[in-house]
Amino acid sequence: MVKLIKYFEQMSLAFAWLAAWLFVLSGIMLSYEVMMRYFFISPTKWAAELSQLCLIYGTLLAMPWMLQNRRHIQINAVTERLGKKIQHLLSLLTLFILMIFSSYVTIYGWLIFYDSYERGRTTGSLLDLPSWIAELSVPVFFFILLIQAIIESWKILVSYSVFKSETQ
């Protein structure tokens, strides 16, 4: 189990690096678009839509790593004053809610993707890309986030049981 978790977390790290590079690429594309539009009065057809795809994929790719490393926004002014047991229980509750939400988004995101794919829906923009290109990222990466939430819950349960056995 530990080996599988390590592999998954390495994959999450690779996704996070890919996300970072997608954000850089998006910035380059948008800078190019601004330069072409305002200095050469020759806007591009592709920069805005492709940078939007980079931002969508980048955000979703980074979610598992963010959860693993607890980099999401946290308001812990109250929780840090509580005992370890209560902190563990609150973390598990939060992860459980995240699992429910991720499951919901995975299921319904897949239905939306599949509907767009079947109907051949497009973005309606100048590039007129298929809508499913952006929509596929939602169920796929929320499913990966769901797996990461399960892993984080398992880590809490294992660390609590180790902590409990040391104190007895």
Side-chain angles (χ1 to χ4, degrees):
M1 181 74 162
V2 174
K3 196 177 234 184
L4 189 61
I5 289 172
K6 289 209 180 285
Y7 171 76
F8 192 84
E9 289 180 345
Q10 288 173 344
M11 184 181 71
S12 292
L13 179 62
F15 284 163
W17 276 105
L18 179 57
W21 283 107
L22 286 172
F23 290 134
V24 169
L25 184 60
S26 178
I28 291 168
M29 284 190 280
L30 289 173
S31 297
Y32 179 78
E33 168 67 18
V34 168
M35 184 179 72
M36 292 305 291
R37 179 179 300 268
Y38 292 107
F39 294 126
F40 301 107
I41 308 169
S42 179
T44 65
K45 293 179 182 180
W46 52 269
E49 190 163 2
L50 292 181
S51 65
Q52 184 179 37
L53 280 175
C54 287
L55 292 172
I56 291 168
Y57 271 83
T59 300
L60 296 174
L61 275 165
M63 290 189 312
W65 183 86
M66 299 278 290
L67 178 61
Q68 174 193 343
N69 293 284
R70 302 294 194 264
R71 300 290 188 191
H72 290 102
I73 295 172
Q74 296 180 12
I75 302 171
N76 54 11
V78 175
T79 57
E80 68 183 14
R81 298 176 197 280
L82 301 172
K84 285 286 185 195
K85 184 176 181 179
I86 301 295
Q87 287 180 10
H88 281 112
L89 289 173
L90 288 174
S91 292
L92 286 171
L93 176 64
T94 304
L95 288 167
F96 181 70
I97 292 168
L98 178 61
M99 285 183 240
I100 292 170
F101 178 75
S102 296
S103 298
Y104 181 85
V105 172
T106 299
I107 292 166
Y108 287 99
W110 180 262
L111 295 174
I112 290 168
F113 150 75
Y114 188 73
D115 183 56
S116 291
Y117 180 79
E118 283 288 307
R119 294 174 187 250
R121 195 175 293 133
T122 62
T123 59
S125 63
L126 292 173
L127 283 183
D128 206 31
L129 293 172
S131 295
W132 65 263
I133 293 173
E135 292 168 353
L136 178 60
S137 62
V138 174
V140 169
F141 294 114
F142 267 90
F143 180 70
I144 294 171
L145 180 64
L146 171 63
I147 295 170
Q148 188 67 50
I150 292 168
I151 289 170
E152 295 306 311
S153 298
W154 184 79
K155 286 180 186 175
I156 290 170
L157 290 170
V158 168
S159 71
Y160 180 70
S161 66
V162 168
F163 175 74
K164 187 175 179 183
S165 66
E166 286 177 359
T167 57
Q168 291 179 347

